[in-house]
Amino acid sequence: MSAVSRFARKSMVVTGAAQGIGKQVAIDAAGEGARVTLVDRSPLVETVAAEIAASGGQAVSFVADLETWESNLGAMKTAHKAYGAIDVLVTNVGGAIWMKPFQHFDEQQIAAEVQRSLFPTLWGCRAALPHMLEQGRGAIVNVSSVATKGVNRVPYSAAKAAVNGLTAALAFELGTKNIRVNAVAPGGTTAPPRAVLRNASAPNDEERAWGKEVVAQTIESSHMKRYGLLREMSAAILFLASDAASYITGTVLPVGGGDQG
Ligand SMILES: NC(=O)c1ccc[n+]([C@@H]2O[C@H](COP(=O)([O-])OP(=O)(O)OC[C@H]3O[C@@H](n4cnc5c(N)ncnc54)[C@H](O)[C@@H]3O)[C@@H](O)[C@H]2O)c1
């Protein structure tokens, strides 16, 4: 347990918590006393929750595909049933499925990118809201991306720009309700190889080359010329989730080594 416990006994829902940024956030928050609800469509999330519990934290898990409204309702019900409140929601599900110039995306792929990177956030905020309004408190941190200005992933960029828009508008609407809504826009982030792939089909040579263009653009756009670390993303997300950010709402915080998105 960390010496600083910003989240002692707070109920926090983290989506996309089986790996990557979401997993890091859940572990770090639990280490600071949060009672976490980890949601993911991969059953691997149960292992992460068990690891948190084994190291003395409080965690429950909920396996569901958050692209549907009903699953988001179920996730919030699970958290509320377990802990009697939802103090913090971190909507982290998302991620570009394909990386290629826009003219190579077909209709289904464009729709799939928006389903993956906008709807879990839109549904998640809406599903948590009645709980937060009833409690009279809450903090939401949506995970966006600096790839709102990035090459070879236009549908994903558009979805994340919509996440920024919903963050600004919802924060404005909730300003006097003691519910803050912010977003963190990560830059490229180094992580262990993904156990859950964003796209199960192996890329061909052309797709590999387009993927390399994304990596090159990401490093070039960062003033620091490097990828970020999982803990650097988690630190920014948990700052905005914490009471230390009590007068910050409606903000998108880029965490991209200077890349503003
Ligand atoms: N990794 C990066 O370089 C980077 C950069 C900028 C922004 N981001 C954003 O940060 C967030 C996390 O990124 P990551 O790279 O850690 O993710 P990841 O792809 O490694 O993991 C995403 C997790 O979300 C889960 N998930 C995906 N779709 C889901 C769904 N419909 N329902 C429930 N669970 C679902 C997956 O099973 C997985 O566990 C995403 O929103 C991503 O767009 C990541």
Side-chain angles (χ1 to χ4, degrees):
M1 185 76 78
S2 153
V4 186
S5 285
R6 291 174 296 179
F7 302 105
R9 293 196 58 74
K10 287 202 173 173
S11 166
M12 181 182 301
V13 176
V14 184
T15 73
Q19 64 183 16
I21 294 171
K23 176 181 174 181
Q24 186 74 45
V25 168
I27 290 171
D28 291 351
E32 288 198 50
R35 301 181 295 171
V36 288
T37 301
L38 286 73
V39 192
D40 204 288
R41 68 178 170 193
S42 166
L44 259 184
V45 76
E46 293 167 346
T47 312
V48 179
E51 283 168 11
I52 290 173
S55 57
Q58 260 189 285
V60 295
S61 57
F62 184 69
V63 178
D65 182 344
L66 293 173
E67 290 181 20
T68 72
W69 163 242
E70 287 75 17
S71 293
N72 281 274
L73 271 184
M76 301 314 154
K77 272 187 193 149
T78 300
H80 196 264
K81 193 171 165 207
Y83 306 126
I86 300 174
D87 297 294
V88 177
L89 167 65
V90 178
T91 66
N92 167 73
V93 165
I97 308 168
W98 293 276
M99 293 188 174
K100 52 188 177 180
F102 192 34
Q103 64 272 24
H104 295 282
F105 279 86
D106 66 27
E107 182 188 356
Q108 281 76 23
Q109 291 169 340
I110 292 168
E113 295 282 6
V114 175
Q115 282 297 329
R116 173 80 59 92
S117 288
L118 173 58
F119 276 90
T121 304
L122 203 52
W123 298 141
C125 290
R126 174 63 183 83
L129 205 46
H131 298 287
M132 291 185 172
L133 285 168
E134 200 187 330
Q135 297 159 188
R137 65 176 193 282
I140 296 173
V141 184
N142 297 321
V143 179
S144 179
S145 175
V146 297
T148 44
K149 196 173 82 188
V151 298
N152 292 354
R153 50 218 197 275
V154 164
Y156 169 73
S157 304
K160 290 299 193 181
V163 166
N164 294 352
L166 95 85
T167 300
L170 186 58
F172 196 18
E173 212 168 280
L174 296 174
T176 59
K177 307 278 188 206
N178 197 30
I179 301 170
R180 297 182 300 103
V181 189
N182 290 291
V184 161
T189 306
T190 302
R194 289 189 171 96
V196 186
L197 298 176
R198 290 178 175 180
N199 181 343
S201 53
N204 62 29
D205 286 350
E206 193 176 41
E207 289 164 341
R208 245 189 298 277
W210 287 327
K212 280 186 184 163
E213 286 176 8
V214 169
V215 173
Q217 176 260 299
T218 301
I219 293 171
E220 182 50 36
S221 300
S222 159
H223 298 355
M224 299 171 80
K225 306 299 173 212
R226 68 166 174 88
Y227 269 46
L229 305 173
L230 291 173
R231 63 174 167 75
E232 291 173 320
M233 303 308 150
S234 172
I237 291 165
L238 292 180
F239 163 66
L240 288 173
S242 76
D243 291 343
S246 57
Y247 196 50
I248 302 176
T249 195
T251 296
V252 179
L253 176 62
V255 186
D259 185 351
Q260 302 298 306

